[in-house]
Amino acid sequence: MEETSLSKYQTKSQIEELLNKKGTVVGSILLLCGSSIGVGILPLPILTGTAGSLPTLLIFALCCIYMTLTALLILEASLLVKDASFISISRKFLNRYGRIAVIISFLFLFYSLTTAYLAKGGELTNQVIGGI
């Protein structure tokens, strides 16, 4: 095994044990739920309260259907690619401009998430520190 930065802190058998460790269904569900619920979900009740319950329920149902269908499409594409990631899927099914669009979309997504978390985190930190 090649010398890695992990081998400075752990033995070779510990690294192999970590790499061969299998996840659980509950752990996978919790990981999915934790990554799905983000900063954007927090203000939804306040923002949709003015529209009323029925329009809000309709919009949420349409969003749920859309997310389910896109998840199934991504699942189908990932089953056709050996090492499935969005970049490898785009390499197999899209041309050069499609791959560039996927990369730019992910960079924009990560930038937006970082900005949202920093903005809200800064606000919460200011409230906590201001109260000391």
Side-chain angles (χ1 to χ4, degrees), residues 44-60:
L44 283 179
I46 296 168
L47 296 174
T48 58
T50 58
S53 298
L54 191 60
T56 300
L57 185 62
L58 180 66
I59 291 170
F60 282 177

Side-chain angles (χ1 to χ4, degrees), residues 1 5 20 22 29 39 51-52 55 61-62 67 69 74 83 88 91-92 96 99-100 103 116 125 128 130:
M1 188 171 182
S5 61
N20 293 328
K22 299 289 181 193
I29 291 170
V39 184
L62 290 174
M67 289 188 303
L69 291 176
I74 293 169
D83 295 325
S88 62
R91 272 193 209 115
K92 181 168 176 90
R96 180 174 185 236
R99 288 191 299 268
I100 291 171
I103 292 169
T125 304
V128 170

Side-chain angles (χ1 to χ4, degrees), residues 106-126:
F106 267 94
L107 290 174
F108 179 72
L109 171 69
F110 294 141
Y111 176 74
S112 301
L113 288 173
T114 302
T115 303
Y117 278 111
L118 287 176
K120 197 60 170 175
E123 185 180 314
L124 293 173
T125 304
N126 189 25

Side-chain angles (χ1 to χ4, degrees), residues 23-95:
T24 63
V25 174
V26 174
S28 301
I29 291 170
L30 292 174
L31 180 65
L32 181 64
C33 291
S35 62
S36 297
I37 299 174
V39 184
I41 200 83
L42 297 175
L44 283 179
I46 296 168
L47 296 174
T48 58
T50 58
S53 298
L54 191 60
T56 300
L57 185 62
L58 180 66
I59 291 170
F60 282 177
L62 290 174
C63 288
C64 183
I65 291 168
Y66 177 75
M67 289 188 303
T68 302
L69 291 176
T70 55
L72 290 173
L73 289 172
I74 293 169
L75 173 65
E76 185 178 353
S78 68
L79 290 174
L80 298 173
V81 178
K82 184 178 178 184
D83 295 325
S85 71
F86 282 105
I87 305 299
S88 62
I89 291 171
S90 67
R91 272 193 209 115
K92 181 168 176 90
F93 295 109
L94 302 175
N95 62 11

